[in-house]
Amino acid sequence: MLLLSVSLRAQEGRKFKVRPGEVTKSVIPLSEVFRFASFEYGDVDLVSGSTINALLNYNLLLREMLYINYAGDTVSISPTGTKKITVGGSEFYSFPGNMWVEAIAGDKRLQLGVHQVVGLAKTEVFGEQYRDGITPFRNIERGIYPTYRELYNQKARYCMLLTKQTAYYFIDKNKRISRAKRSVIVKLFPKYSNEIKSFIKEKSIKTNQEEDLRQLVAFCHQIGY
């Protein structure tokens, strides 16, 4: 997974400044890095049809679903080989681009999902290299972008500012995942497009607000099934 510009909406919350020479994962508290307070037993449903029970947790900094193997090592789970992960009372689905989306509302017919990370606040990068117009993440000598694991496990070359960031998605009955947009929900319920548009307008629904999206999903359940 290459380190690309993240098109996520940042939530208000703690900001973490990483100075040159510091290791990012050591600067940010574990309570902010992991989805759950500790690794919990959960089920990994594989594309092959089998299910594995393991100690699991989602790492928001590395953007990886992790499990503890029999040797006690922490290992990343491949999204491409996984259909669904159930842990801590939550369901996670893989999404193109090696992303994990957690279902937070709705039911199997239509769900609201969230993709959370602790990532670069791209407009608030500090350091002379950035002011000069040079991205602080590129290996100038070789023209290579590091992975998140490489970037955050090594000593920082430049000063960075990170925050918790969130993006919302719709998960349809076939487990297809799409960004939470007005155009998407209308396509999912073409017979009720006028009703949905009217509801969005009447309630001033914003597709970057969790509570608004929960209302929209609940409304679609009422009219669509």
Side-chain angles (χ1 to χ4, degrees):
M1 175 165 47
L2 300 182
L3 182 67
L4 305 176
S5 297
V6 184
S7 58
L8 302 178
R9 300 180 182 276
Q11 293 182 327
E12 289 298 323
R14 295 184 61 184
K15 297 180 180 180
F16 304 98
K17 186 175 182 180
V18 182
R19 296 174 175 82
E22 294 181 328
V23 178
T24 302
K25 71 172 186 178
S26 299
V27 173
I28 303 177
L30 290 179
S31 60
E32 299 288 336
V33 169
F34 283 98
R35 170 64 178 83
F36 303 105
S38 61
F39 277 71
E40 300 184 18
Y41 276 103
D43 293 324
V44 181
D45 296 335
L46 302 177
V47 174
S48 63
S50 60
T51 298
I52 298 174
N53 185 260
L55 281 169
L56 306 164
N57 210 336
Y58 173 62
N59 189 303
L60 283 73
L61 187 64
L62 302 181
R63 298 121 194 264
E64 296 177 352
M65 184 65 71
L66 304 173
Y67 77 98
I68 298 177
N69 64 17
Y70 293 111
D73 298 322
T74 304
V75 183
S76 177
I77 297 176
S78 170
T80 57
T82 307
K83 291 176 58 178
K84 182 180 71 173
I85 288 179
T86 306
V87 58
S90 297
E91 294 180 344
F92 292 81
Y93 297 92
S94 60
F95 184 70
N98 290 334
M99 291 168 45
W100 292 99
V101 175
E102 178 183 357
I104 59 173
D107 59 32
K108 62 182 180 180
R109 299 167 299 178
L110 175 67
Q111 295 173 289
L112 174 63
V114 62
H115 172 62
Q116 286 190 317
V117 301
V118 174
L120 170 70
K122 58 184 177 183
T123 59
E124 300 182 68
V125 181
F126 300 94
E128 185 172 349
Q129 292 292 333
Y130 181 78
R131 291 199 300 271
D132 288 342
I134 302 174
T135 170
F137 303 117
R138 188 173 184 180
N139 185 318
I140 302 300
E141 296 78 16
R142 295 186 295 165
I144 296 175
Y145 291 88
T147 64
Y148 295 109
R149 182 176 286 273
E150 291 170 340
L151 178 67
Y152 296 139
N153 282 333
Q154 298 176 357
K155 291 183 178 181
R157 294 175 58 188
Y158 308 102
C159 196
M160 300 180 291
L161 185 72
L162 294 95
T163 62
K164 183 173 289 186
Q165 302 169 0
T166 302
Y168 296 99
Y169 293 83
F170 292 129
I171 307 169
D172 70 16
K173 61 183 180 181
N174 296 313
K175 304 309 175 189
R176 292 173 299 196
I177 302 173
S178 306
R179 284 299 295 266
K181 297 180 180 179
R182 170 177 166 172
S183 59
V184 171
I185 199 68
V186 169
K187 287 182 179 179
L188 290 175
F189 299 90
K191 290 174 58 177
Y192 304 96
S193 60
N194 291 333
E195 290 90 335
I196 291 173
K197 290 176 182 177
S198 296
F199 179 82
I200 291 174
K201 183 177 180 180
E202 177 186 347
K203 300 294 185 180
S204 299
I205 298 295
K206 297 180 176 61
T207 55
N208 64 341
Q209 298 295 321
E210 181 177 321
E211 186 54 39
D212 286 8
L213 288 169
R214 285 178 178 270
Q215 291 183 47
L216 181 56
V217 168
F219 177 74
C220 290
H221 284 165
Q222 294 173 14
I223 65 172
Y225 299 100

